[in-house]
Amino acid sequence: MRQVFNTALARSPGPRSLAWAELAAFCEVGLFRPLYGKVVFQFWTGGEAQMARAVERFHTAVVTDLLLHNGNPTLARHVRNTHKREVRSGYVLTKEHAKSKNKIDCTIASILAYEARADAIADGRLKKKRRLVVGF
């Protein structure tokens, strides 16, 4: 997995790219739900099967150039700190060990943001409503 991310780091963003740094965002659902209501969704990263599927979709987007890295140094460092662990349903990403001071937050946030984008596309939240304009 790290090799895939490092390959993405070396590539220049193209017109289809999404800036990983812009995707990487942290929020506490409990704080944002009262402000934004139905547009805030929860995704539990502790569920190995769900997280493994999200990691696989993100990995596929990277290797097919659907998602490219914009060169953000913090994200690059967090990607380098990431280790993969095999689980029954695929791979999940972890720190080297539980007490490691090397952060991986931006890597995980990027995966979650990409997953949220896919969910929004799948359930139609991003569809533009068509309006009829009548002129006289």
Side-chain angles (χ1 to χ4, degrees):
M1 184 64 74
R2 187 180 302 157
Q3 181 182 7
V4 170
F5 287 120
N6 288 337
T7 301
L9 287 172
R11 296 181 184 159
S12 299
R16 297 180 301 144
S17 71
L18 298 170
W20 289 9
E22 292 171 11
L23 289 174
F26 175 82
C27 74
E28 291 289 336
V29 173
L31 296 174
F32 283 85
R33 188 164 278 156
L35 296 172
Y36 298 101
K38 294 181 180 179
V39 299
V40 177
F41 296 88
Q42 200 159 2
F43 185 95
W44 292 99
T45 59
E48 288 180 346
Q50 184 180 12
M51 195 62 193
R53 287 190 301 271
V55 167
E56 180 57 33
R57 281 188 282 273
F58 190 81
H59 173 266
T60 301
V62 170
V63 298
T64 60
D65 289 339
L66 183 62
L67 187 60
L68 302 173
H69 188 273
N70 71 348
N72 179 279
T74 303
L75 179 57
R77 184 176 63 252
H78 287 212
V79 167
R80 285 189 297 271
N81 294 338
T82 304
H83 294 264
K84 69 179 181 179
R85 180 172 56 89
E86 189 170 1
V87 296
R88 192 176 329 162
S89 49
Y91 292 97
V92 293
L93 303 180
T94 64
K95 290 179 164 187
E96 184 177 14
H97 53 82
K99 296 192 182 218
S100 173
K101 293 184 180 184
N102 295 328
K103 303 292 184 191
I104 64 168
D105 299 359
C106 291
T107 305
I108 301 302
S110 296
I111 292 168
L112 296 180
Y114 190 75
E115 190 69 5
R117 174 187 173 271
D119 289 348
I121 290 169
D123 73 10
R125 280 180 269 157
L126 298 183
K127 286 185 180 175
K128 292 183 180 180
K129 294 180 181 177
R130 301 185 90 198
R131 296 186 177 155
L132 179 62
V133 178
V134 179
F136 295 96

